[in-house]
Amino acid sequence: MTSSRTDPTAWWRAAVTYQVYPRSFADGDGDGVGDIAGIRSRLPYIRDLGVDAIWLNPWYPSPMADAGYDVADYRAIDPLFGTLTEAEALIAEARALDLRVLLDVVPNHLSSAHAWFRAALAAGPGSRERERFLFRPGRGDGSQPPNDWESVFGGSAWTRVREPDGRPGEWYLHLFDPGQPDLNWREADVRAEFESVLRFWFDRGVDGFRIDVANGLHKHQDLPDLGERSGRPGDEAEADHPFWDRDTVHEVYREWRRVADSYPDPKMFVAEAWVPTPDRLARYVRPDHLHSAFNFDYLTTPWRAALLRASIDEALAALTAVSAEPTWVLSNHDVVRVVSRLGLPQPNERNWVLELDDETADPDLDLGTRRARAAALLMLALPGGAYVYQGEELGLWEVLDLPDEMLADPIWERSGHARRGRDGARVPLPWATDGNSFGFGPSDGAQPWLPQPAAWAAMAAERQAGDPTSMLELYRSALRIRREHPGLGSGPMRWRDAPNGVLSIEREGGFLLVANVEGPSVELPSHREVLLASGPLDGPRLPPNTAVWLQT
Ligand code: NOJ
């Protein structure tokens, strides 16, 4: 019998997916911004890392008000990144290397430069074109926003437009930047358009989509004030929040599932849904809904043994109840890089959503690196799929000293410079030890769009390759063993008794993980072979902040 681990029709169940953030991955044309040519040239690196799939952040034409999450045309490529022909070549080349390809679909909002929004502005109040969005008259004399909702990036979630006759007029909703007007998912047009967009890319060989803001598409019909409630994604544990995680949003995904299932090759979706509990997350991956969802509960769990164990148990229980496979993730382009996060004092509660705005924040990078190495072995030993954000495999840290004038994240401006935003996690990768961009672009190319720390010469992929003590080789070894070991990937796990502060997980085929999260050094359990260790062992003992894979 084929297990789900090797079943090609359910490849995502155990897949490790590598997240490529195109503008910061590799710059082929030398303009200082990463592009498709750069990604194509580095596909062998991704294949050699040993992952199963890549997920590409948005590459569509965009004014870049939010780094491409403001899409002006869902069926084309921004010239900054290349052309549709190059995109098709990339998809084919990745598939030829046995890498599945996931794109990012952004259905909650589009760009204010999209033809639909321009048509809505031109057509004026009461028009069908405006029905595709959430336009409302203002309160009072019309000069106040229709309700009290705030944008995730700061400031009101409403912007007033000038009507075609030149007068100030209606307001439109944007849960994010004003350049990202929210769509009205009650409109049949909107639903049909996105199904067509999915097909456009599925027809070009794409294997699946990561769904941006999957929990935000449906808003309460009356758009009621939030009052005392939080508007931050994932904060609210209530079913009837006016815009997050509304029960009806799942109707959309049942339709999308039908689109995916209409293809002979297995197509899949992964939801970006910041929801408060694993149970709420499980609703997205019920049978006939989406295939998988990011596990942000795990990402926001501090390096604390009891909290990690609780997060793992709750995810397994909630997802098993709906026959879905869990996934695990340590970082992405929206959060503080894992080395920096784990280099800080760890709080003693879950849902740790960290922003490093405080210039005095001073993560201990050596400690963070030791923990990140152990965290990688823990994550990759868990049942199900995993996501690795580019640069995580190089041990890159959050860049905290980017010059103010280079910050591109809309959070910086929208928050009145109170929050620095996410650029520190988006600094271009170092590939080589020298050159003006450490090999990110050609040696005579422009400076990278964000400056790399000088210390990243030592983090370059070429420097780490072949060094058995490097983060890169740790990931390569772990991913190789994960592919080969019959107990890893999908399948059962069992906790073993372990001293306080230590996690010990058994998988089939005699595999044992021991992660010393908080304890003092502990004796290793009896074993036949050490398959892989995240750091030096102390003879028969496992030092703190170290994990080991054992064959028993
Ligand atoms: C989530 C994306 O990951 C983030 O980068 C973006 O700013 C928001 N969604 C809005 O699209």
Side-chain angles (χ1 to χ4, degrees):
M1 199 184 99
T2 335
S3 77
S4 63
R5 193 168 168 273
T6 50
D7 178 359
T9 65
W11 60 269
W12 59 86
R13 291 180 72 89
V16 179
T17 302
Y18 183 79
Q19 179 188 352
V20 175
Y21 193 71
R23 59 174 47 233
S24 302
F25 187 66
D27 172 16
D29 66 6
D31 66 354
V33 180
D35 48 34
I36 296 177
I39 303 171
R40 288 172 71 188
S41 73
R42 299 288 182 185
L43 281 176
Y45 167 87
I46 302 176
R47 190 257 336 263
D48 292 346
L49 190 57
V51 297
D52 305 286
I54 55 175
W55 149 38
L56 299 157
N57 289 93
W59 55 2
Y60 316 106
S62 165
M64 305 290 167
D66 181 21
Y69 280 98
D70 46 324
V71 180
D73 178 354
Y74 290 82
R75 296 179 184 80
I77 299 293
D78 195 286
L80 193 60
F81 299 129
T83 63
L84 186 56
T85 310
E86 285 179 274
E88 287 169 343
L90 164 58
I91 296 164
E93 288 161 8
R95 298 296 272 110
L97 292 175
D98 249 344
L99 292 167
R100 311 265 178 175
V101 180
L102 311 184
L103 301 186
D104 216 311
V105 64
V106 188
N108 180 67
H109 43 262
L110 40 64
S111 164
S112 51
H114 190 285
W116 273 14
F117 193 71
R118 288 195 275 111
L121 289 183
S127 59
R128 265 200 54 68
E129 287 84 347
R130 285 210 178 173
E131 280 302 304
R132 293 172 175 151
F133 299 90
L134 292 146
F135 277 90
R136 293 289 183 278
R139 279 184 175 166
D141 62 358
S143 66
Q144 298 305 309
N147 71 22
D148 67 356
W149 298 2
E150 289 201 349
S151 142
V152 173
F153 295 157
S156 172
W158 296 90
T159 291
R160 194 171 195 190
V161 302
R162 212 159 263 289
E163 299 300 356
D165 64 7
R167 280 186 301 191
E170 292 189 318
W171 298 69
Y172 68 91
L173 178 72
H174 50 85
L175 290 182
F176 294 88
D177 190 77
Q180 296 169 295
D182 278 50
L183 285 160
N184 174 9
W185 273 84
R186 291 181 203 285
E187 273 295 291
D189 264 13
V190 171
R191 296 197 297 272
E193 169 64 3
F194 276 88
E195 291 190 19
S196 150
V197 166
L198 298 178
R199 288 187 187 282
F200 178 88
W201 290 105
F202 281 151
D203 291 346
R204 279 165 180 73
V206 160
D207 298 283
F209 288 91
R210 174 261 191 195
I211 306 171
D212 189 60
V213 198
N215 56 327
L217 274 48
H218 277 200
K219 279 83 185 175
H220 192 298
Q221 191 126 30
D222 306 334
L223 308 180
D225 276 341
L226 263 182
E228 295 300 301
R229 285 173 292 180
S230 164
R232 278 178 77 120
D235 266 8
E236 286 291 311
E238 58 162 304
D240 197 26
H241 190 274
F243 49 89
W244 292 136
D245 194 29
R246 293 187 63 73
D247 286 344
T248 52
V249 78
H250 301 288
E251 291 161 16
V252 175
Y253 304 126
R254 272 203 298 268
E255 290 301 323
W256 286 21
R257 180 64 183 245
R258 277 195 270 276
V259 175
D261 288 350
S262 70
Y263 283 81
D265 309 336
K267 308 289 188 189
M268 66 82 77
F269 296 110
V270 51
E272 187 224 16
W274 288 85
V275 293
T277 63
D279 282 333
R280 293 298 298 181
L281 192 66
R283 299 167 63 79
Y284 289 79
V285 292
R286 286 172 284 175
D288 301 327
H289 293 64
L290 301 175
H291 306 75
S292 98
F294 293 109
N295 182 349
F296 294 130
D297 183 80
Y298 188 70
L299 187 154
T300 55
T301 297
W303 187 244
R304 295 254 178 197
L307 302 184
L308 286 164
R309 182 170 173 156
S311 173
I312 293 166
D313 278 342
E314 283 172 37
L316 290 174
L319 297 176
T320 313
V322 293
S323 312
E325 197 77 22
T327 66
W328 314 97
V329 59
L330 296 172
S331 64
N332 65 34
H333 64 293
D334 289 330
V335 301
V336 172
R337 278 197 177 272
V338 62
V339 161
S340 301
R341 177 160 54 85
L342 298 187
L344 291 168
Q346 301 295 292
N348 208 0
E349 53 190 45
R350 280 159 63 192
N351 291 323
W352 184 29
V353 180
L354 175 68
E355 292 195 7
L356 283 183
D357 296 321
D358 178 357
E359 279 162 24
T360 62
D362 188 16
D364 175 341
L365 297 181
D366 285 338
L367 176 64
T369 301
R370 277 203 302 284
R371 288 178 172 164
R373 293 173 64 93
L377 292 201
L378 171 57
M379 169 173 87
L380 294 172
L382 294 171
Y387 288 85
V388 174
Y389 174 47
Q390 69 177 40
E392 188 179 312
E393 82 284 12
L394 298 177
L396 301 185
W397 56 84
E398 186 83 5
V399 182
L400 296 174
D401 58 355
L402 293 171
D404 291 359
E405 65 281 5
M406 299 197 81
L407 295 179
D409 186 342
I411 288 180
W412 171 241
E413 289 302 332
R414 293 281 300 166
S415 69
H417 298 182
R419 297 164 60 201
R420 294 182 71 76
R422 302 159 292 179
D423 290 323
R426 301 174 177 181
V427 174
L429 295 194
W431 293 95
T433 46
D434 48 24
N436 66 349
S437 61
F438 297 134
F440 169 64
S443 50
D444 56 352
Q447 289 296 321
W449 70 281
L450 285 174
Q452 302 151 304
W456 279 13
M459 311 304 289
E462 86 176 9
R463 166 78 72 91
Q464 296 194 36
D467 170 0
T469 66
S470 70
M471 186 72 97
L472 177 58
E473 291 299 341
L474 179 78
Y475 267 84
R476 284 180 175 167
S477 302
L479 290 165
R480 179 180 45 75
I481 297 169
R482 187 181 150 104
R483 288 174 100 93
E484 290 166 359
H485 200 291
L488 291 177
S490 243
M493 64 159 263
R494 205 171 66 80
W495 293 107
R496 265 229 197 158
D497 288 344
N500 260 349
V502 177
L503 297 176
S504 180
I505 291 172
E506 235 172 20
R507 305 291 313 264
E508 292 192 330
F511 179 95
L512 185 65
L513 160 115
V514 189
N516 188 348
V517 178
E518 294 172 276
S521 120
V522 291
E523 190 86 27
L524 284 177
S526 79
H527 58 275
R528 278 202 286 126
E529 187 191 347
V530 174
L531 297 172
L532 190 61
S534 71
L537 301 178
D538 181 8
R541 301 185 68 80
L542 183 65
N545 298 306
T546 310
V548 67
W549 285 4
L550 301 173
Q551 183 64 44
T552 60

